[in-house]
Amino acid sequence: MNDRSNSPTYRDAGVDIDAGAELVERIKPMAVSTNRAGVMSGLGGFGGLFDLKAAGFTDPILVAATDGVGTKLRVAIETGQFDGVGIDLVAMCVNDLICQGAEPLFFLDYFATGALDVEQGAEIVTGIAEGCRQARCALIGGETAEMPGMYAEGDFDLAGFAMGAMERGRALPRDVVAGDVLLGFTSSGLHSNGFSLVRKIVKDEGLDWNKSAPFNDVSLGRLCLRPTKIYVTPAMAAIRTGAVHGFAHITGGGLLENVPRMLPGGLAAEINLNTWRIGTFYRWLFGISGVSEAEALKTFNCGIGMVAAVDRNQVNALARLMAENGETVIRIGEVIEGEGVHFSGKLM
């Protein structure tokens, strides 16, 4: 073994193992706060253990989802606001799981950076833990990768991995038919899609993320970084009624691309854009940029973060149930014969 006092170390190469260990200790209580029935192990092992039987499943089918936050991270980095992107990360994964009819069970994250900032990492994982609590799933593991030379100073990336389950035979979509009503679940803002276009608009218009938006006193960056809404609680309540035949998470591709994903061949969606009003932020963004309605509908959620295809005879009862679960739903259209999505009315 070479014992020279000037021998190179991992820290000399830009990797601080002690900082990584400190972050793990900081986030352990956050992970514990997300525990639910079925969790068998905490952070620190080589893998996370989960007991499906203890979680209450008899004949489960596993459903997995993975996603990221996209270039929304660029806005977080440029503004130094990291408290919401962890929620975004969880939301993008668990909202996909419920579209398959699966209950989210546990979550793992991957956080990669050039040089680990413990405070920044702890803030991000705090958001991830909050997202897991909202989704009622456990944070049972993850990876923090410090990779000098791979990321510019201050840059980082996030990826998330969620596992859910459902009883055999309960997968969605199923039994979607012409005449089903489409219920829209309102979004909390941009969520985590379309940010490459938003960033281009901000650059082209010479705007500043840290200055107040023209229509209120909140900074433009803070408005754009509003966390993605997590729909797990109301969606699972809706699924248990048997009234929901399908869900579509409105992410990249907007209403135009995502709604058809829950429709069988030969069926289309008819959506009336006059049934809801896009928020002030969207009106301002589309107004200053000249983004067309067609472009908006295939890029952004436009105020609707999730769409459900529902038995038309149970719409009112389901709407009341969603209100009891703190969710606002809007009757935006129905399933018809045909293909794709047919829009009527005006978005803007």
Side-chain angles (χ1 to χ4, degrees):
M1 177 71 89
N2 189 337
D3 293 325
R4 290 184 300 174
S5 60
N6 63 346
S7 62
T9 66
Y10 213 5
R11 181 174 291 184
D12 293 335
V15 179
D16 190 343
I17 292 177
D18 292 337
E22 181 184 348
L23 179 60
V24 170
E25 290 304 310
R26 289 275 296 274
I27 65 180
K28 278 183 178 178
M30 305 176 199
V32 170
S33 74
T34 70
N35 279 356
R36 54 154 292 160
V39 174
M40 296 178 63
S41 64
L43 298 185
F46 289 98
L49 281 66
F50 193 90
D51 184 344
L52 285 167
K53 187 174 181 180
F57 289 90
T58 303
D59 186 14
I61 301 295
L62 294 177
V63 184
T66 183
D67 213 329
V69 184
T71 61
K72 188 173 188 176
L73 288 181
R74 188 79 256 152
V75 182
I77 291 167
E78 292 178 8
T79 61
Q81 299 175 27
F82 308 114
D83 53 329
V85 291
I87 298 174
D88 288 310
L89 185 66
V90 176
M92 293 299 287
C93 295
V94 297
N95 286 344
D96 281 352
L97 288 183
I98 57 181
C99 291
Q100 303 296 142
E103 174 190 344
L105 301 176
F106 59 83
F107 189 85
L108 299 95
D109 70 279
Y110 176 78
F111 172 41
T113 184
L116 182 60
D117 180 326
V118 174
E119 293 302 321
Q120 179 196 69
E123 189 172 4
I124 291 167
V125 177
T126 296
I128 292 172
E130 172 58 25
C132 286
R133 286 190 292 270
Q134 291 183 25
R136 301 181 180 179
C137 69
L139 177 60
I140 65 169
E143 168 68 4
T144 301
E146 191 173 20
M147 299 188 290
M150 290 292 290
Y151 296 90
E153 183 178 356
D155 283 357
F156 64 91
D157 201 6
L158 288 174
F161 310 87
M163 184 68 73
M166 60 195 168
E167 294 293 352
R168 189 180 302 274
R170 305 304 297 170
L172 293 178
R174 65 175 183 273
D175 303 327
V176 179
V177 297
D180 279 355
V181 170
L182 298 177
L183 291 181
F185 289 56
T186 58
S187 69
S188 57
L190 288 169
H191 286 185
S192 298
N193 297 100
F195 272 86
S196 293
L197 178 54
V198 172
R199 289 170 49 242
K200 173 177 169 52
I201 293 169
V202 168
K203 180 180 179 181
D204 290 348
E205 297 297 323
L207 302 173
D208 187 333
W209 295 117
N210 295 306
K211 290 186 177 179
S212 296
F215 49 87
N216 63 26
D217 295 329
V218 180
S219 72
L220 180 58
R222 177 57 67 184
L223 284 173
C224 288
L225 289 170
R226 283 177 175 167
T228 305
K229 186 185 285 189
I230 292 174
Y231 296 100
V232 171
T233 297
M236 294 309 299
I239 289 170
R240 286 191 288 271
T241 68
V244 175
H245 297 160
F247 273 119
H249 184 198
I250 310 305
T251 55
L255 290 160
L256 184 67
E257 298 291 337
N258 286 291
V259 174
R261 296 171 67 180
M262 67 171 169
L263 303 177
L267 293 182
E270 186 174 63
I271 295 177
N272 183 350
L273 300 175
N274 291 334
T275 54
W276 78 97
R277 183 170 172 79
I278 60 173
T280 303
F281 175 81
Y282 273 130
R283 292 198 302 274
W284 169 79
L285 182 69
F286 299 158
I288 65 166
S289 64
V291 169
S292 69
E293 184 177 276
E295 188 67 25
L297 288 167
K298 70 176 183 181
T299 305
F300 302 104
N301 64 59
C302 296
I304 302 295
M306 186 78 76
V307 176
V310 177
D311 183 329
R312 67 183 306 108
N313 295 315
Q314 300 189 57
V315 170
N316 292 337
L318 192 62
R320 287 193 297 270
L321 178 63
M322 294 301 91
E324 292 170 5
N325 282 272
E327 186 55 57
T328 301
V329 294
I330 302 166
R331 185 168 179 160
I332 64 171
E334 65 178 70
V335 178
I336 61 173
E337 294 182 356
E339 297 290 337
V341 182
H342 305 274
F343 295 106
S344 62
K346 284 288 184 181
L347 184 66
M348 295 179 279

